[in-house]
């Protein structure tokens, strides 16, 4: 799931690739409120799972976001 998240953040949300690491805080990676909203919509579209923006915003690091998505989108392992 982390690889999908990294690719999505870099390619679709245009966050800087060099700062999108599992250890990076969401602020350092550039995951602001607009990016969180967009990510929530992308997850819904790609996986058919609603992930609340507040849940995403509560994550401290990019790795935590990936772990949350992995829990909420179990079918993502097949993609």
């Amino acid at each position: 799931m982390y690889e999908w998240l990294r690719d999505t953040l870099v390619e679709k949300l245009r966050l800087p690739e060099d700062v999108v690491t599992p250890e990076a805080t969401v602020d350092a990676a550039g995951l602001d409120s607009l990016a969180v909203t967009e990510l929530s919509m992308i997850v819904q579209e790609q996986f058919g799972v609603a992930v609340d923006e507040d849940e995403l915003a509560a994550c401290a690091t990019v790795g935590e976001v990936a772990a949350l998505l992995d829990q909420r989108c179990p079918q993502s392992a097949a993609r």
Side-chain angles (χ1 to χ4, degrees):
M1 178 54 84
Y2 171 74
E3 289 80 17
W4 176 87
L5 177 61
R6 183 196 64 229
D7 292 346
T8 299
L9 294 177
V10 171
E11 294 172 14
K12 294 187 178 180
L13 301 182
R14 302 194 190 284
L15 300 183
E17 185 173 3
D18 60 328
V19 297
V20 178
T21 65
E23 302 81 22
T25 65
V26 291
D27 290 334
L31 201 55
D32 60 13
S33 60
L34 178 60
V36 166
T37 300
E38 291 182 65
L39 179 59
S40 177
M41 292 169 40
I42 292 168
V43 169
Q44 173 72 38
E45 180 182 301
Q46 292 227 335
F47 301 111
V49 175
V51 178
D52 189 76
E53 294 168 28
D54 291 335
E55 289 179 284
L56 292 171
C59 295
T61 66
V62 173
E64 286 181 22
V65 173
L68 172 66
L69 295 178
D70 201 33
Q71 289 175 343
R72 298 295 301 276
C73 307
Q75 73 275 21
S76 65
R79 291 186 179 212

